[in-house]
């Protein structure tokens, strides 16, 4: 996962109004297609999905377990607010979570000691445990008792008021050795606020661990399985691959093991051997995104899920260099060799025969057939290019020596450009690496402007795996921009062989990152507008590109225009004495925060408040907690502000020219963990200036931005820091297209994106000698740019229609739309 800077265009209240489709004008275009031509071949695996346990995507999400903190392993190491009782509440008696030699097993360190009689209750995730009338739910618990005659254990599934949602289970725990006890509930009522209640009777001491409640109705009916509605939405995409398990959690934290020698280190990189075998024997870990991950959803389940949906598994392993802002290289040759051997063992686990060590382990887990692993990523978003590549080379040499058919994927860091990106590409290219993983999260206009990003890539160099990308927000306009960009990916399918939007999943009550493709809570799930675009492309790929050209949209330059903003990144800041003046010195806006902050509109992130006459953002973990003010039509203005860093890892983010119609500019002072500063943005998302300026904590800076026409000057304490003129040659092109051929059906798939308020009246020319059937099937996504799919309203959905076509025809593509025409060639 990459860090994001440019998100100001998302701010509510500053968006330019867009007329409804019926009120839009027409713009004329031409689209010329050569049906006899053959461009780049497109791999069946081109589009896939990237699963990372972020936004509670695993526990409380795709992993169907309904009990939160089932093994009492939550810890302050995971989250400062956690205790071993998080998710639980006592209902009486003496309850104590202990870690001693009486534990269930070495890696399941904690268990619950219950002084009888006593009880406790678990509320699951979100509003509670979701149960549906008539469905069955399997309960299990590991337990032991010191009572020779046994201990009665009643288990109930109730609503918050204590009313039963199913008949109670009555178990009897016998013996002082750990034993697994099971039972099944059949829900007689539906509820989204269910509770699991355990009550032990009698006297003495009862010990409990690994308390579980699983719906029987999982994806493919598998035990330790996946939540069906989420898995089905992923399967409906027909992904060519599944990249897992991350992402930032792959290579952050310690690379040592979860064992006595590391003092049971909780903040570790994702190490696959921790995640297989019986679930009660698997390790636990602190998730990079601020919670606990149980590893109930582990490597075996990832491989199984990939197979179930017909996708290629694509795991990523750590290379002993941390990414995602940590930027540390571990120098331990023995540990490096252990991780290399673990990677070789992973390949054997996936592909080895049942008489091999790890192939036998796979077979014991229930899958004697190989999983047919062909691709493997090493590392994720490393900013230390040379340190990473030295270790990557060691992994690559060992894998190629034993498994020469495996495609080994390097990466280019967390950004789409810059010195680290260039250096990693140089190293990958010089070493002849098969494929390089690129990641970027940018504004919608960046995606519109960079449709041609891969046109100039070296056709003989490493292939591109676009492992993570998304436009910043989940509005339909973002999905349109992504669709426009994807036409460029397909046009360059000889360079970009794999691509996956990210992140995949987000629980609406546990959001660490947005945008996200699929949203959910404990009882419902829904695809974002981006999900609908991804599904349309992924289920209509085609086998090769058909040559085509289209006319562009007329545009004339205009002055830099927009309102102002304040923000930060993983830093607490205080801003004061904001002033905006016109070029002739006239005051346009001023706020000294002597009253409230009613002039400012936020994006919902961070903790903003007026304190001691300053506007303070006090959350030192928030990423881009943006607030904006002013008039989006301002031109030729000067923006001044006093800024003080209070705490955190970076400095200030000063957005300007925020208008919703284009990409704003960001003055990023003390960015990249306070190692450098830059100003970037504009319609083409360029970096206009960058240097090694850092920001001191506690010092107040006078910052000034002067905008004149398309020229910007930036001052720190009265000193000119940078000056640039944004000579953008054109606005983002809103009309994009690509054409592919489906060899099985013979269809020409004409894919057109019209990301503007005007309809696109288009003359489509298939050539004089082309004969097609008179009607084509059209699949259309259409809406307003600010439309957002939610649980209760989903305005962005595909609709189908029949369109009259011929060798040369005119079709009007609606405003703000994605249209796929399947034109049937009579010759095929």
């Amino acid at each position: 996962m990459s860090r994001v800077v440019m998100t100001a265009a998302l701010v509510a209240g500053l968006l330019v109004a867009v007329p409804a489709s019926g009120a839009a004008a027409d713009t004329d275009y031409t689209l010329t297609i050569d049906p006899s031509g053959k461009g780049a071949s497109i791999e069946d695996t081109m589009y896939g999905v990237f699963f990372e346990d972020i936004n509670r995507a695993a526990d409380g999400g795709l992993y169907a377990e309904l009990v939160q903190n089932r093994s009492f392993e939550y810890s302050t190491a995971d989250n400062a607010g956690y205790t071993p009782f998080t998710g639980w509440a006592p209902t009486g008696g003496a309850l104590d979570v202990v870690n001693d030699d009486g534990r269930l097993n070495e890696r399941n360190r904690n268990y619950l000691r219950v002084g009888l009689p006593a009880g406790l209750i678990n509320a699951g995730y979100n509003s509670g445990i979701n149960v549906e009338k008539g469905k069955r739910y399997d309960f299990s618990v590991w337990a032991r008792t010191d009572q020779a005659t046994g201990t009665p254990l009643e288990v109930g599934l109730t609503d918050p008021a204590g009313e039963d949602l199913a008949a109670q289970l009555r178990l009897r725990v016998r013996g002082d050795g750990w034993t697994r006890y099971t039972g099944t509930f059949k829900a007689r009522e539906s509820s989204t606020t269910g509770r699991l209640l355990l009550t032990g009777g009698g006297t003495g001491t009862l010990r409990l661990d690994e308390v579980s409640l699983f719906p029987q109705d999982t994806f493919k009916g598998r035990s330790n399985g996946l939540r069906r509605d989420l898995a089905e939405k992923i399967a409906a995409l027909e992904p060519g691959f599944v990249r897992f398990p991350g992402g930032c959690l792959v290579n952050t934290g310690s690379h040592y093991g979860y064992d006595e020698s590391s003092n049971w280190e909780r903040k570790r990189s994702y190490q696959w051997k921790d995640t297989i075998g019986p679930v009660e024997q698997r390790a636990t870990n602190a998730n990079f995104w601020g919670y606990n991950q149980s590893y109930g959803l582990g490597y075996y389940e990832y491989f199984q899920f990939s197979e179930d949906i017909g996708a290629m598994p694509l795991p990523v392993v750590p290379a002993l260099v941390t990414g995602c802002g940590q930027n540390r290289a571990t120098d331990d040759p023995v540990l490096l060799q252990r991780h290399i051997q673990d990677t070789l063992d992973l390949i054997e686990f996936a592909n080895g025969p049942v008489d091999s060590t790890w192939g036998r382990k796979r077979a014991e887990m229930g899958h004697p057939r190989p999983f047919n692993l062909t691709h493997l990523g090493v590392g994720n978003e490393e900013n230390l290019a040379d340190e990473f590549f030295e270790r990557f080379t060691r992994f690559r040499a060992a894998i190629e020596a034993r498994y020469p058919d495996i495609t080994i994927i390097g990466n280019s860091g967390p950004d789409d450009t810059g010195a680290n990106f260039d250096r990693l590409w140089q190293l990958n290219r010089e070493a002849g690496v098969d494929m390089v993983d690129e990641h970027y999260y940018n504004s919608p206009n960046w995606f519109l402007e960079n449709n041609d990003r891969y046109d100039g890539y070296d056709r003989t160099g490493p292939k591109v795996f676009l492992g993570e990308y998304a436009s910043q927000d989940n509005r339909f306009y973002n999905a349109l921009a992504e669709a426009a960009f994807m036409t460029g990916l397909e046009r360059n399918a000889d360079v970009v062989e794999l691509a996956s939007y990210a992140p995949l999943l987000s629980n609406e009550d546990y959001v660490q990152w947005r945008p996200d493709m699929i949203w959910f809570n404990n009882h419902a799930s829904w695809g974002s507008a981006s999900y609908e675009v991804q599904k349309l492309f992924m289920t209509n790929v085609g086998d090769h590109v058909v040559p085509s050209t289209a006319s562009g949209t007329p545009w004339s330059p205009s002055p830099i225009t927009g309102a102002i903003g304040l923000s930060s990144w993983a830093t607490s800041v205080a801003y004061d004495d904001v002033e905006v003046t016109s070029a002739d010195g006239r005051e346009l806006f001023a706020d000294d925060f002597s009253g409230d902050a009613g002039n400012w509109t936020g994006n919902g992130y961070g903790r903003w408040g007026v304190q001691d006459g300053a506007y303070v953002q006090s959350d030192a973990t928030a990423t881009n907690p943006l607030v904006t003010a002013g008039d989006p039509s301002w031109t030729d203005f000067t923006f001044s502000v006093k800024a003080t860093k209070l705490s955190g890892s970076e400095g200030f983010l000063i957005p300007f020219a925020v208008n919703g119609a284009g990409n704003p500019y960001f003055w990023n002072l003390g960015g990249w963990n306070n190692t450098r500063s830059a100003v970037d943005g504009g319609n083409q998302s360029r970096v206009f200036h960058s240097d090694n300026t850092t920001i001191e904590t506690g010092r107040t800076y006078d910052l000034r931005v002067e905008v004149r026409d398309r020229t910007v000057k930036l001052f720190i304490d009265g000193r000119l820091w940078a000056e640039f003129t944004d000579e953008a040659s054109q606005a983002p092109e809103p009309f994009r297209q690509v054409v592919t051929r489906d060899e099985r059906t013979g269809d020409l798939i004409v894919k057109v994106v019209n990301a503007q308020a005007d309809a696109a009246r288009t003359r489509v020319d298939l050539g004089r000698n082309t004969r097609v059937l008179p009607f084509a099937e059209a699949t259309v996504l259409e809406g307003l740019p600010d439309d957002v799919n939610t649980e209760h309203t989903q305005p962005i959905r595909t609709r189908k229609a029949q369109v009259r076509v011929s060798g040369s025809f005119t079709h009007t593509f609606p405003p703000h739309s994605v249209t796929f025409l399947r034109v049937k060639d009579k010759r095929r």
Side-chain angles (χ1 to χ4, degrees):
M1 189 65 62
S2 304
R3 67 193 305 277
V4 181
V5 174
M6 296 178 290
T7 58
L10 318 184
V11 180
L14 292 177
L15 298 172
V16 175
V18 177
S21 299
D26 285 356
T27 300
D28 288 326
Y29 295 89
T30 61
L31 172 54
T32 303
I33 302 169
D34 177 10
S36 63
K38 187 172 183 179
S41 295
I42 305 175
E43 299 289 338
D44 291 341
T45 54
M46 178 170 183
Y47 293 124
V49 294
F50 163 50
F51 180 90
E52 178 175 7
D53 188 359
I54 182 174
N55 310 312
R56 284 272 185 203
D59 296 333
L62 185 61
Y63 185 51
E65 174 64 75
L66 297 172
V67 176
Q68 184 176 180
N69 189 18
R70 67 184 179 188
S71 289
F72 309 99
E73 296 289 343
Y74 277 27
S75 165
T76 54
D78 310 323
N79 184 294
Y82 281 1
T83 75
F85 278 112
T86 296
W88 296 93
T91 59
L95 305 177
D96 186 24
V97 174
V98 294
N99 176 356
D100 61 21
D101 291 342
R103 65 179 64 89
L104 177 59
N105 60 64
E106 185 180 48
R107 297 181 136 212
N108 199 328
R109 307 287 293 168
N110 290 349
Y111 65 92
L112 181 68
R113 185 169 58 200
V114 182
L116 298 169
L120 69 162
I121 197 166
N122 189 278
Y125 300 92
N126 300 92
S127 59
I129 294 172
N130 179 57
V131 295
E132 296 180 52
K133 184 177 179 179
K135 292 192 175 181
R136 296 180 181 273
Y137 299 85
D138 291 333
F139 168 81
S140 67
V141 64
W142 287 80
R144 54 189 289 194
T145 178
D146 63 1
Q147 298 298 293
T149 58
T151 294
L153 178 64
E154 292 186 351
V155 186
L157 192 53
T158 74
D159 66 13
E163 294 295 322
D164 285 337
L165 299 172
Q168 287 191 352
L169 302 177
R170 288 179 170 80
L171 308 174
R172 191 164 193 89
V173 179
R174 299 182 183 276
D176 204 11
W178 287 105
T179 303
R180 185 170 182 260
Y181 296 86
T182 64
T184 297
F185 293 104
K186 182 178 180 181
R188 54 195 184 203
E189 301 291 342
S190 294
S191 175
T192 62
T193 58
R195 303 291 190 263
L196 182 69
L197 176 64
L198 286 76
T199 305
T203 60
T205 301
L206 176 69
R207 292 171 172 83
L208 302 175
D209 204 349
E210 201 72 19
V211 182
S212 174
L213 185 67
F214 246 90
Q216 288 187 355
D217 186 20
T218 57
F219 185 64
K220 302 289 186 179
R222 299 195 183 280
S223 60
N224 198 47
L226 306 182
R227 181 171 148 175
R228 185 164 63 86
D229 64 322
L230 293 179
E232 286 178 346
K233 281 185 171 59
I234 299 170
L237 295 167
E238 299 179 13
F241 64 86
V242 178
R243 175 176 176 248
F244 62 87
C248 282
L249 58 83
V250 165
N251 64 336
T252 49
S254 166
H255 298 295
Y256 290 90
Y258 188 55
D259 50 35
E260 187 175 2
S261 64
S262 72
N263 195 30
W264 306 100
E265 175 62 58
R266 287 290 286 264
K267 295 185 176 181
R268 309 183 314 284
S269 58
Y270 200 105
Q271 300 173 38
W272 77 271
K273 290 180 180 176
D274 286 347
T275 76
I276 63 169
V279 291
E280 70 274 7
Q281 296 177 17
R282 299 183 188 182
T284 188
N285 202 6
N287 186 299
F288 173 84
W289 297 105
Y291 51 91
N292 175 272
Q293 51 187 338
S294 71
Y295 287 148
L297 174 56
Y299 256 73
Y300 179 83
E301 289 76 24
Y302 287 128
F303 278 125
Q304 183 70 73
F305 180 53
S306 300
E307 181 179 81
D308 284 343
I309 63 176
M312 175 181 77
L314 202 166
V316 181
V317 299
L320 274 68
V321 177
T322 55
C324 303
Q326 294 186 352
N327 301 331
R328 295 190 305 269
T330 299
D331 187 14
D332 183 335
V334 174
L335 183 64
L336 176 62
Q337 187 54 47
R338 193 266 282 175
H339 276 268
I340 291 171
Q341 185 59 52
D342 281 353
T343 303
L344 297 175
D345 293 343
L346 170 61
I347 299 170
E348 184 176 281
F349 176 76
N351 294 349
V354 294
D355 58 355
S356 65
T357 300
W358 292 100
R360 181 181 304 110
K361 185 69 173 178
R362 180 193 70 241
E364 290 170 351
M365 294 186 70
H367 200 284
R369 299 185 316 279
F371 283 119
N372 299 317
L373 174 67
T374 60
H375 290 63
L376 177 75
V378 177
N380 176 76
E381 293 189 5
E382 285 78 11
N383 262 315
L384 303 176
D386 291 278
E387 292 89 338
F388 161 72
F389 207 78
E390 187 274 331
R391 290 157 177 79
F392 171 83
T393 301
R394 296 275 303 277
F395 277 83
R396 183 183 177 209
I399 296 167
E400 288 182 340
R402 186 173 300 181
Y403 300 106
D405 293 334
I406 296 291
T407 297
I408 305 163
I409 303 171
N411 75 82
S412 59
D415 302 304
D416 59 273
T417 189
N420 186 70
F421 175 88
D422 292 340
R423 177 59 175 160
L424 278 168
W425 258 106
Q426 176 191 0
L427 293 168
N428 280 288
R429 189 177 296 110
E430 290 175 350
V433 172
D434 294 328
M435 188 174 287
V436 177
D437 190 0
E438 291 191 354
H439 296 178
Y440 37 81
Y441 298 87
N442 291 320
S443 71
N445 281 13
W446 184 95
F447 283 93
L448 290 176
E449 280 292 337
N450 283 272
N451 174 274
D452 62 352
R453 174 180 175 88
Y454 296 105
D455 289 1
Y457 270 50
D458 181 4
R459 265 50 199 171
T460 64
K463 302 303 181 185
V464 173
F465 172 24
L466 181 50
E468 298 184 32
Y469 72 97
S471 152
Q472 295 154 352
D473 206 354
N474 271 147
R475 299 179 299 140
F476 185 44
Y477 185 69
N478 299 87
L480 288 169
E482 291 153 4
F485 187 73
M486 293 170 78
T487 66
L489 299 183
E490 291 193 5
R491 188 176 64 250
N492 290 284
D494 56 329
V495 169
V496 184
E497 287 196 349
L498 305 172
S500 51
Y501 178 102
L504 178 62
L505 294 171
S506 182
N507 187 318
E508 66 174 353
D509 292 337
Y510 305 90
V511 181
Q512 282 84 32
W513 185 280
R514 68 181 74 203
D516 303 287
M517 193 194 295
I518 300 170
W519 290 78
F520 65 93
N521 49 39
N522 68 347
H523 62 278
S525 58
W526 57 96
S528 67
S530 294
Y531 173 85
E532 296 297 337
V533 161
Q534 292 291 322
K535 184 177 178 181
L536 186 56
F537 273 84
M538 292 169 75
T539 56
N540 293 276
V541 180
D543 297 289
H544 65 82
V545 176
V546 175
S548 61
T549 57
S551 57
T553 304
W555 180 82
S556 57
S558 59
I560 292 174
T561 304
I564 61 169
L566 303 170
S567 190
S568 62
W569 189 279
T571 304
S572 175
V573 291
Y575 292 112
D576 201 0
D577 295 338
V578 176
E579 185 179 28
V580 182
T581 58
S582 65
D584 59 8
R586 180 169 44 90
E587 184 178 278
L588 302 174
F589 177 87
D591 199 336
D592 63 3
F593 303 105
S594 55
D596 60 23
N599 294 322
W600 299 84
T601 300
N603 65 356
Y605 298 114
R607 291 192 297 269
W608 287 96
V610 175
Q611 299 178 23
D612 301 322
Y615 200 20
V616 175
Q617 196 293 107
S618 57
D619 184 350
T621 65
T623 53
N624 197 27
L626 179 67
V627 293
T628 59
D631 187 341
S633 67
W634 280 338
T635 60
D636 294 336
F637 61 88
T638 298
F639 167 26
S640 302
V641 61
K642 290 185 172 66
T644 307
K645 174 180 175 178
L646 303 179
S647 65
S649 60
E650 300 209 356
F652 315 118
L653 281 179
I654 309 296
F656 57 97
V658 184
N659 58 38
N663 187 36
Y665 300 84
F666 269 84
W667 190 7
N668 186 358
L669 288 165
W672 295 271
N673 282 318
N674 205 17
T675 60
R676 62 188 178 99
S677 297
V679 58
D680 56 17
N683 282 338
Q684 295 182 334
S685 295
R686 294 172 51 199
V687 176
F688 296 99
H689 180 78
S690 177
D691 66 15
N692 60 0
T693 297
T694 58
I695 297 300
E696 299 175 23
T697 301
R699 173 182 165 186
T700 298
Y701 295 80
D702 286 313
L703 308 178
R704 188 167 83 250
V705 181
E706 291 184 0
V707 178
R708 301 292 184 270
D709 194 24
R710 299 199 65 81
T711 297
V712 178
K713 294 182 180 180
L714 303 159
F715 298 83
I716 301 176
D717 294 333
R719 176 182 57 84
L720 180 66
W721 178 79
E723 178 179 359
F724 68 89
T725 299
D726 187 351
E727 300 284 7
S729 60
Q730 63 179 34
E733 173 58 62
F735 185 80
R736 296 292 190 182
Q737 58 79 33
V738 71
V739 182
T740 63
R741 172 82 73 181
D742 183 335
E743 291 290 357
R744 183 182 63 83
T745 63
D747 293 354
L748 286 172
I749 312 174
V750 181
K751 310 174 187 184
V752 175
V753 181
N754 184 28
Q756 62 181 325
D758 292 342
R761 184 170 52 212
T762 307
R763 187 66 181 174
V764 182
D765 186 1
L766 299 173
R768 184 179 304 174
N769 298 321
T770 302
R771 300 181 65 194
V772 298
L773 295 181
F775 289 97
E777 180 184 77
T779 307
V780 184
L781 289 168
E782 181 183 5
L784 295 176
D786 289 340
D787 281 344
V788 175
N789 285 353
T790 69
E791 176 186 357
H792 302 293
T793 177
Q794 295 168 35
I796 305 304
R797 289 191 171 187
T798 57
R799 62 175 176 83
K800 292 187 180 292
Q802 294 291 310
V803 173
R804 183 173 288 278
V805 298
S806 61
S808 182
F809 65 97
T810 297
H811 181 76
T812 298
F813 296 96
H816 303 114
S817 66
V818 184
T819 303
F820 280 27
L821 297 175
R822 278 190 169 263
V823 180
K824 295 194 174 295
D825 193 331
K826 278 187 176 181
R827 298 171 301 176
R828 293 179 175 242

